[in-house]
Amino acid sequence: MNENYKYFKENLQQLLKEYYGKYLVIVDKKVVLSFDTFDLAYKGAFSKYKGTNFIIQKCVNEQDNVANFSNHNVIFAKN
């Protein structure tokens, strides 16, 4: 499992309190950016973290569909 995604899953309850409904950019197991839309998150992450291992993750309850996007090589993961 991707370490950034593992961080997200392990810290979901705390992240929900601050970022519910936001698209999070996670690098090195830290939330570094948050956005209201995936498009903005992708543009922000790609411009600032191109060439690094990052994920864009929507911060929602586990019951909701969750997709994991990693770097410019997109990886989809669904709960």
Side-chain angles (χ1 to χ4, degrees):
M1 177 184 291
N2 177 293
E3 288 298 313
N4 290 320
Y5 184 66
K6 184 177 177 182
Y7 163 83
F8 172 78
K9 295 291 285 180
E10 289 174 351
N11 294 280
L12 180 58
Q13 294 308 309
Q14 186 64 34
L15 294 171
L16 285 169
K17 293 175 185 175
E18 187 172 350
Y19 299 107
Y20 183 81
K22 301 281 188 181
Y23 288 86
L24 308 180
V25 178
I26 301 174
V27 177
D28 294 329
K29 299 186 277 183
K30 291 182 238 160
V31 175
V32 294
L33 300 168
S34 66
F35 296 90
D36 291 327
T37 68
F38 174 79
D39 289 341
L40 290 174
Y42 183 78
K43 288 174 187 173
F46 194 76
S47 68
K48 191 165 185 176
Y49 295 102
K50 182 179 179 180
T52 64
N53 185 20
F54 66 83
I55 65 168
I56 298 170
Q57 183 67 54
K58 188 168 186 181
C59 190
V60 293
N61 293 318
E62 287 188 340
Q63 305 90 300
D64 299 334
N65 288 332
V66 178
N68 174 30
F69 302 92
S70 180
N71 210 339
H72 62 277
N73 297 320
V74 178
I75 299 170
F76 294 97
K78 189 172 181 179
N79 291 353

